[in-house]
Amino acid sequence: RKMDLNKQIPSGEMAVFNLSLHHLDKKETILKNAVQNFQYLVLLEPIRNFYHILFDSGQPLQEKEWIRMFDRILGDYSLCRFKGFLLVFYKGS
């Protein structure tokens, strides 16, 4: 189903943000809503670097900014780094 996540967050058991959160206007609000609407979250997001400035139309954050946001909103989660990306696994309570 195609939808604008800036306007509406669906609900369900699991959500996967595959290189998409950094394209959204209100990343923190959307992630907070996703935590409320889903039991499991998987996020794959790029870390801001020179490549993304040239070729990505989104607004990726620096690694420390992503981690601060994940810490504030998710609290307990697993984080993996691979090259220029962060992979996050979250299970709600």
Side-chain angles (χ1 to χ4, degrees):
R1 180 168 71 166
K2 182 179 177 180
M3 65 177 43
D4 183 351
L5 295 176
N6 285 309
K7 296 179 182 176
Q8 173 188 6
I9 298 290
S11 61
E13 187 175 359
M14 181 168 74
V16 177
F17 287 83
N18 186 18
L19 300 173
S20 57
L21 187 59
H22 71 282
H23 287 281
L24 301 172
D25 297 331
K26 297 178 181 176
K27 296 170 192 49
E28 290 197 32
T29 301
I30 290 165
L31 188 55
K32 285 177 187 176
N33 290 337
V35 165
Q36 292 175 354
N37 292 358
F38 294 93
Q39 184 176 359
Y40 301 96
L41 296 175
V42 178
L43 300 101
L44 175 64
E45 289 299 329
I47 298 167
R48 184 171 68 202
N49 62 24
F50 184 70
Y51 170 83
H52 293 103
I53 292 169
L54 292 177
F55 299 108
D56 193 313
S57 62
Q59 300 169 355
L61 304 176
Q62 292 180 350
E63 182 174 1
K64 289 179 182 180
E65 294 172 308
W66 279 123
I67 291 172
R68 276 195 299 268
M69 182 173 69
F70 297 148
D71 287 348
R72 265 192 319 274
I73 297 169
L74 303 178
D76 186 22
Y77 62 94
S78 297
L79 175 73
C80 299
R81 291 173 186 86
F82 180 73
K83 297 188 180 182
F85 298 91
L86 295 177
L87 180 59
V88 174
F89 300 96
Y90 170 78
K91 179 183 183 290
S93 50

